[in-house]
Amino acid sequence: MDLTARLMNALTDPDSDFADPAPDMSRVTDEQLGDLVAESCAPRPWTPASGLAWGAVRGAVAERRPRFTPEACRRLFGIMCDRAERGEFVDLAQVLTAVEHRTGPLPDLTALVESLLGLLLETEPETRRPHLLLAVAGLADEETARAIEARLVRKVGPVVADELAVVAALPAEEQRLLRLTHRDRAHHEPPPLDDWRRLVGHPGYAAYARRALEAAADRTDAIAKGEIPYRADKAFTDEEVRTVGQAARVALLRDEPWLPELFDRLLPGVALAPTAAKTLPSQAMLYELVRAAQDFPTPELVTTIRTVRRTVRHAGVPRQLDKMLRKVEAALAERTDVALRLPTLGFETDATTEGGVLRRTAGDYTAVITVTDTAELTWEKDGRPLRSTPAPVRRDHPALVKEVRELVKRVNAQLVTLVRALEGGYTVDTHHPYGRWRTELAGHPLARTVVRRLIWEIEVAPGDWRAVLPETADALPEAPDDAAVRLWHPLRADADEVRAWRDRVTEARLRQPFKQAFREIYRLTPAEEETRLYSNRFAGQLVHYPRMFALFRARGWKSGRLGPWAMGDEDVAERVLAAGEWRIRFFHIWADSPDGAELAATDQVRFDRRAEGGWQEAPLAEVPAPVFSEAMRDVDLFVGVCSIAADPDWADSGPERAYWQRASFAELTESAEARRDALARLLPRLKIAERCELDGRFLVVRGDLRTYRIHLGSANILMDPDGAYLRIVPDRTKRDGKLFLPFEDERLSLILSKAFLLAADAEITDETIRRQIGRRA
């Protein structure tokens, strides 16, 4: 019996003895996979054999697209009818996918469609999934489709009914595209960009998008005024949420000029109750609009979301918005046509600070907002700065005080968005026209504080790129307005150039908005050329899993949660890069410790490219160098920050001690090498310079009592002459807030803090540390 037959038997026969946990699904054709997918939807009791077969089928579907024969389509419709009769969930999106990817002519499904829709409309509200119901109805005859449409329009409310009427007037192809966008959102997948672009070009649907968003904003305005009674989370139905979200995506992709002002009404309207209650008019609508921003972000919408995040009263919403905003910012970085658009907000360039400044008068006093690294608010009287907000201003001008404070928050939100958008553009090799860059970035009163501290390359002649760092008095070169400008990346530079820029940034004591001059680069290794499809560079590491899971979220990665439960033993974290063209996957495994610590073991890294609407695994050598480097940089961050090797509490702990001993003082990764390079430039400037030197993987510090070797990766310490381990927990070190660092690096700060402490070891008063220093092996 071949593999397909064995899998089919496992799905259909409760007495099957199928027991292969990892069958070779490459032996199953796309058509055979379609047959298996259809059969796996049948409502049957679960058995160990069917569970293994189901997992194998779903795993194959995640890697490639099944094809459905006409008979498989008919079989799937019959199975869905059985599910509807039993009151079980009916996946209409799966049905439409099968029809769309069939191998032959569409069979006559009229009787099955009528039966399926009749069952669904008896057992679930008509307001649920109207677009999918209409799409399925369209597979029958015209009379059935019209009857279903008329029934739905009466039930779904004016916003959704308006859309259904617009959809009914669209050409058949546009209706199909609309169904696809609804389907993909239902499955939490990024929308198919080409399909969306074709949809938004239709003037009828574009006009509807504005009507829907205005109707939604009018409703929240009415709730705020008390014209509509307030009920928590009841401002919109589920289908209205989905429909308005669809309209928002269309308007965002079209980058409609009326949209920012409308979002400034709608988002606060769905996020703030008209009373002092901590509930929301519609938490679902708020999250749906933020998801729309993840798909098609604009800087104005990002700023509005940040503003709402600060004012919402519900305790859990800000945390959720923070997670979602990270994905929005990552997406904004790759939407280069709008990412760098910043309003001036009334600011003017200040010659003394090279940043922006705005002044507002309040009687005898003046509010001054100055933008350098960040926006700061001060008050003046007769040109003299005051220490705090004057009491007369707080008493007589409360609205102005609130306005300028909110403006400071908004500017800082815009600066954060700009920084993340610029850095995220590395994977798409973003270019800007020189004329626009000079006026809208380098000359912008708010953006210039970020732009001037970064290294830029201008193409002064075809193929001739000139690098400049405006903050260090570099004059901008002469070049045409349409010349290309891009951020400098060390991946494109030789070692001498990288060294020169690092020296320059350090000498100027310049803190860059993100790590650029000292940025790590990751190139393909011989071992990765040998393995071809995967990298083991970061495999075999033990990490604190909750910390790594939090970092996944912070860096815009998607991952399931590991844990001691069924199917919780392994997962794949993934991130989409390069404007949706590439995906990185980072495999990791649950490794619970005997003492209850939540650990994970790291495994392979793989890359996929977008192909035929899905993902196809790609050899590492075919991944563009910037995509490979930036993706591996994230994985290095996960391992470096979360490894138990950097945790002093693991020095004497259980069976993991062998790993800790090996990894705590291992060869340096790229991030640790960048740390070493920074230290080489910083040490001569420190007052403890004569007591310090770099020796391979270590910073060697000579104290009065001992000599210490601080590992540049883990920050763990060995003491000479016997190599004894010195345990110092981070909160016992003294941080020097005035110490200049060319980039933000908690581990570098920790290493320097330990160095200052140990250089004066005779003065240490902590008895735990003194006992260790005095002990001899």
Side-chain angles (χ1 to χ4, degrees):
M1 187 182 298
D2 66 12
L3 177 58
T4 302
R6 291 171 54 222
L7 289 167
M8 188 67 75
N9 181 259
L11 292 170
T12 57
D13 185 356
D15 297 323
S16 170
D17 59 357
F18 183 81
D20 188 347
D24 181 7
M25 297 301 290
S26 65
R27 294 158 52 195
V28 176
T29 68
D30 291 347
E31 290 79 6
Q32 291 170 334
L33 183 59
D35 292 339
L36 291 168
V37 168
E39 203 60 48
S40 69
C41 296
R44 294 191 183 91
W46 182 90
T47 66
S50 66
L52 288 173
W54 186 92
V57 170
R58 295 299 156 182
V61 170
E63 298 297 329
R64 57 194 171 100
R65 173 168 290 164
R67 303 281 289 172
F68 296 83
T69 64
E71 183 53 39
C73 291
R74 188 189 303 277
R75 172 66 178 142
L76 185 58
F77 265 88
I79 287 171
M80 293 303 173
C81 288
D82 292 342
R83 295 185 68 92
E85 286 181 343
R86 296 161 64 104
E88 297 180 3
F89 174 71
V90 175
D91 191 345
L92 296 178
Q94 178 67 74
V95 169
L96 293 170
T97 298
V99 170
E100 182 183 354
H101 299 292
R102 66 186 184 274
T103 60
L106 183 67
D108 183 5
L109 300 172
T110 298
L112 288 169
V113 167
E114 290 178 341
S115 175
L116 177 61
L117 294 182
L119 290 165
L120 290 178
L121 293 176
E122 289 174 3
T123 58
E124 67 178 40
E126 286 89 343
T127 55
R128 183 184 177 195
R129 307 190 289 176
H131 295 87
L132 294 178
L133 291 171
L134 280 177
V136 173
L139 300 176
D141 54 36
E142 188 174 340
E143 183 179 353
T144 300
R146 284 201 304 268
I148 296 296
E149 178 187 344
R151 184 173 180 182
L152 288 172
V153 165
R154 290 194 300 270
K155 298 290 186 179
V156 295
V159 173
V160 181
D162 189 0
E163 188 195 31
L164 292 178
V166 172
V167 171
L170 291 176
E173 179 61 15
E174 276 72 11
Q175 290 190 38
R176 185 190 72 84
L177 297 178
L178 186 61
R179 292 197 302 270
L180 290 176
T181 58
H182 273 283
R183 181 202 66 193
D184 288 335
R185 286 195 290 115
H187 284 253
H188 307 292
E189 290 291 333
L193 188 55
D194 290 342
D195 287 352
W196 273 98
R197 284 173 175 155
R198 292 173 63 184
L199 177 63
V200 302
H202 196 282
Y205 198 87
Y208 161 74
R210 182 170 188 173
R211 293 198 302 273
L213 289 164
E214 288 178 341
D218 289 344
R219 189 181 303 180
T220 58
D221 288 347
I223 291 173
K225 295 174 184 176
E227 297 170 1
I228 297 177
Y230 174 68
R231 292 190 300 158
D233 285 318
K234 299 297 183 182
F236 300 93
T237 66
D238 290 346
E239 188 56 37
E240 284 176 329
V241 168
R242 286 189 287 269
T243 301
V244 172
Q246 184 91 346
R249 287 168 172 84
V250 169
L252 285 167
L253 185 52
R254 291 173 64 89
D255 196 22
E256 297 284 11
W258 45 264
L259 198 53
E261 182 179 353
L262 196 148
F263 275 139
D264 284 344
R265 288 173 55 203
L266 181 55
L267 264 75
V270 298
L272 291 173
T275 65
K278 295 182 180 180
T279 54
L280 287 75
S282 179
Q283 191 170 157
M285 181 67 83
L286 175 62
Y287 291 155
E288 177 66 9
L289 293 173
V290 180
R291 282 191 291 269
Q294 291 174 355
D295 291 339
F296 305 116
T298 65
E300 296 84 1
L301 179 52
V302 174
T303 299
T304 302
I305 295 170
R306 287 188 178 281
T307 302
V308 167
R309 180 249 179 266
R310 290 192 302 269
T311 57
V312 68
R313 304 186 195 104
H314 189 290
V317 170
R319 291 193 296 271
Q320 181 63 24
L321 288 179
D322 286 341
K323 296 177 184 178
M324 300 176 77
L325 269 168
R326 295 177 191 118
K327 296 181 180 178
V328 175
E329 289 160 346
L332 181 61
E334 298 182 354
R335 197 179 178 194
T336 57
D337 54 331
V338 302
L340 306 182
R341 183 176 63 213
L342 270 75
T344 62
L345 301 177
F347 281 78
E348 298 178 351
T349 301
D350 183 68
T352 59
T353 65
E354 292 292 347
V357 65
L358 181 142
R359 290 179 169 84
R360 297 291 303 275
T361 301
D364 296 333
Y365 301 90
T366 303
V368 182
I369 302 176
T370 306
V371 181
T372 51
D373 291 358
T374 59
E376 295 183 0
L377 170 64
T378 58
W379 291 88
E380 295 179 352
K381 183 178 182 181
D382 299 328
R384 299 192 313 274
L386 304 176
R387 299 180 61 181
S388 60
T389 307
V393 173
R394 290 198 303 270
R395 182 188 63 242
D396 300 333
H397 305 276
L400 177 62
V401 172
K402 179 180 180 181
E403 178 187 344
V404 293
R405 287 175 176 172
E406 286 299 316
L407 188 56
V408 168
K409 295 176 182 178
R410 183 175 182 184
V411 170
N412 285 330
Q414 287 188 347
L415 293 178
V416 169
T417 300
L418 174 64
V419 168
R420 294 183 178 174
L422 288 171
E423 186 177 19
Y426 270 141
T427 63
V428 288
D429 193 21
T430 303
H431 290 63
H432 312 282
Y434 190 34
R436 179 185 173 196
W437 178 87
R438 280 197 309 261
T439 56
E440 297 185 22
L441 285 176
H444 192 285
L446 302 181
R448 61 183 289 126
T449 183
V450 171
V451 171
R452 289 178 59 82
R453 290 179 286 139
L454 292 169
I455 307 166
W456 296 87
E457 291 182 305
I458 298 108
E459 192 175 26
V460 294
D464 182 10
W465 293 88
R466 185 84 50 82
V468 296
L469 179 58
E471 186 70 13
T472 58
D474 275 352
L476 297 181
E478 292 293 332
D481 285 350
D482 60 354
V485 183
R486 67 186 180 190
L487 275 170
W488 178 88
H489 194 296
L491 193 66
R492 295 191 295 265
D494 59 32
D496 289 340
E497 183 181 354
V498 172
R499 191 179 304 112
W501 279 118
R502 290 180 175 181
D503 288 341
R504 190 166 175 183
V505 165
T506 306
E507 290 166 4
R509 296 179 63 83
L510 182 63
R511 183 75 171 267
Q512 295 193 284
F514 53 82
K515 192 186 289 188
Q516 186 190 30
F518 286 87
R519 198 172 193 84
E520 308 88 347
I521 58 175
Y522 301 78
R523 303 183 192 275
L524 210 60
T525 65
E528 288 163 342
E529 292 175 352
E530 183 71 21
T531 56
R532 203 175 75 84
L533 288 174
Y534 61 89
S535 168
N536 277 329
R537 188 185 306 204
F538 301 106
Q541 307 293 322
L542 282 176
V543 297
H544 288 284
Y545 177 65
R547 193 177 305 167
M548 186 170 75
F549 185 76
L551 266 180
F552 287 157
R553 294 292 187 261
R555 299 290 296 176
W557 288 60
K558 183 173 69 174
S559 174
R561 192 73 160 80
L562 298 182
W565 48 72
M567 309 297 289
D569 54 340
E570 61 182 359
D571 195 68
V572 182
E574 61 183 50
R575 182 183 175 190
V576 176
L577 299 167
E581 293 303 311
W582 287 91
R583 179 178 71 174
I584 178 175
R585 292 182 291 146
F586 175 36
F587 294 74
H588 51 286
I589 305 166
W590 178 250
D592 198 3
S593 172
D595 64 1
E598 293 185 67
L599 302 181
T602 61
D603 204 344
Q604 298 176 356
V605 173
R606 293 175 178 261
F607 286 83
D608 307 311
R609 64 156 56 90
R610 181 79 70 178
E612 298 180 357
W615 293 107
Q616 180 179 348
E617 192 167 59
L620 301 180
E622 296 180 9
V623 181
V627 174
F628 182 85
S629 184
E630 292 297 305
M632 296 298 272
R633 183 174 182 267
D634 264 10
V635 181
D636 191 1
L637 171 70
F638 300 148
V639 175
V641 171
C642 305
S643 172
I644 67 170
D647 186 348
D649 290 332
W650 280 91
D652 301 307
S653 183
E656 292 84 6
R657 175 172 171 76
Y659 165 79
W660 184 91
Q661 289 177 315
R662 181 180 74 253
S664 288
F665 304 102
E667 293 295 329
L668 301 183
T669 63
E670 284 82 351
S671 59
E673 288 286 1
R675 198 173 295 132
R676 188 186 195 281
D677 202 8
L679 276 170
R681 292 166 169 77
L682 294 173
L683 287 178
R685 305 167 183 269
L686 304 179
K687 63 182 181 181
I688 61 171
E690 295 183 354
R691 289 180 173 264
C692 299
E693 65 175 328
L694 290 168
D695 181 15
R697 304 191 294 268
F698 298 90
L699 171 62
V700 180
V701 182
R702 291 184 298 277
D704 294 320
L705 305 178
R706 281 210 186 201
T707 297
Y708 310 89
R709 304 173 67 81
I710 308 175
H711 190 260
L712 301 178
S714 64
N716 289 329
I717 308 167
L718 298 176
M719 298 184 289
D720 288 341
D722 54 10
Y725 172 67
L726 174 61
R727 180 179 182 274
I728 301 178
V729 295
D731 59 1
R732 292 183 183 176
T733 62
K734 294 181 180 179
R735 307 289 177 96
D736 185 356
K738 298 181 180 179
L739 183 64
F740 163 73
L741 298 179
F743 53 86
E744 185 176 351
D745 186 330
E746 184 178 349
R747 194 69 52 82
L748 177 57
S749 178
L750 178 60
I751 289 169
L752 286 170
S753 298
K754 290 182 176 181
F756 274 94
L757 178 73
L758 297 173
D761 56 358
E763 301 174 14
I764 295 174
T765 59
D766 188 296
E767 284 300 322
T768 303
I769 299 176
R770 287 175 62 87
R771 282 197 302 270
Q772 294 179 81
I773 292 175
R775 184 179 60 205
R776 291 293 185 269

